[in-house]
Amino acid sequence: MTGVDTAGGGGGLGAPPPSTVYRMADFCPCPRGDSLSDSRFYDAMRAGCIPVMFDRVRMNAFEGALNYSRLVVTADDVATEADMADLLRQLAAMPLHEKAERRRRLLEVSAYFHYDESADVSAFTAALDELGSRVEMLNEYRANYGMRDKFSSLKATGTGSLLGR
C-alpha cells in the first residue's frame, strides 16, 4: 500500500488509521523497536492481524495465560533478502484455515489488550491475575528454600513503610 501513514494516528493525506490497515491485512510485521515490548505488536493483535515477530527475545504480556505460538508467526532467521523472500513465500502458502484459526484466536484474546476495569477479562484483570500468580510463585520459592521477606521485620514491627516514610 502506498500513501498509508502507519507511524501514528493515521489521517495523513486522507490515509486510514493504522488500526484500519491492520484489520485489512492478514499479517503485520512486528520487528522489535527500541524496547522489548511495543504497541505495534499489541495493536496488530487487537485488530486480528497475525503478528510476524522477527525476534524471540521479546517480553509479551500475560505469557502465563496466552499461548503466543498459536497466535503469532515467528521469523528468527531473516537476515538477507533471500531469507525475506522465503518468509513471504511461507506466509503466502499458509493455508486459509490456519490463517482463519489464528485470527479467530487473536480476536478471542483481544480483551487481554484492552483496559476496562468493569470487564470480566481485560488487561487490568489479567495484570492482577498475573501479579497474583507471581506472588504465589515467589511465596512457594521462599517456602521451599527457607527464605523470608526482606521487609518482614519492617512490617512486623510497624517501623516505617516500603517507601521509607
Side-chain angles (χ1 to χ4, degrees):
M1 260 181 188
T2 58
V4 176
D5 174 10
T6 60
L13 300 172
S19 60
T20 300
V21 176
Y22 290 152
R23 281 192 295 276
M24 295 183 327
D26 287 329
F27 301 99
C28 291
C30 294
R32 191 169 107 198
D34 59 357
S35 68
L36 292 177
S37 178
D38 59 80
S39 62
R40 168 183 51 234
F41 176 70
Y42 298 107
D43 291 344
M45 291 182 70
R46 277 197 309 268
C49 185
I50 302 166
V52 179
M53 295 180 5
F54 294 90
D55 187 354
R56 281 190 199 269
V57 182
R58 178 188 294 258
M59 295 178 69
N60 296 320
F62 318 121
E63 288 199 23
L66 302 176
N67 182 351
Y68 280 91
S69 67
R70 297 181 62 195
L71 302 170
V72 306
V73 172
T74 304
D76 287 329
D77 301 324
V78 179
T80 66
E81 284 185 44
D83 294 338
M84 182 58 77
D86 286 343
L87 172 62
L88 293 174
R89 279 191 288 278
Q90 290 171 13
L91 295 176
M94 182 181 284
L96 291 176
H97 70 274
E98 184 178 343
K99 282 193 268 191
E101 183 62 18
R102 284 180 189 261
R103 291 185 89 158
R104 184 193 65 72
R105 286 187 200 121
L106 285 169
L107 294 174
E108 199 173 84
V109 302
S110 67
Y112 280 91
F113 306 107
H114 293 281
Y115 284 90
D116 181 358
E117 294 177 35
S118 63
D120 289 339
V121 175
S122 71
F124 179 76
T125 59
L128 290 177
D129 288 346
E130 183 88 6
L131 183 60
S133 314
R134 290 179 186 224
V135 167
E136 285 177 22
M137 287 182 351
L138 181 60
N139 287 337
E140 285 178 27
Y141 180 84
R142 285 181 175 151
N144 290 337
Y145 294 98
M147 300 173 74
R148 65 184 193 104
D149 182 351
K150 67 180 178 179
F151 297 110
S152 60
S153 60
L154 288 176
K155 289 185 227 171
T157 62
T159 57
S161 74
L162 298 181
L163 298 177
R165 293 186 191 141

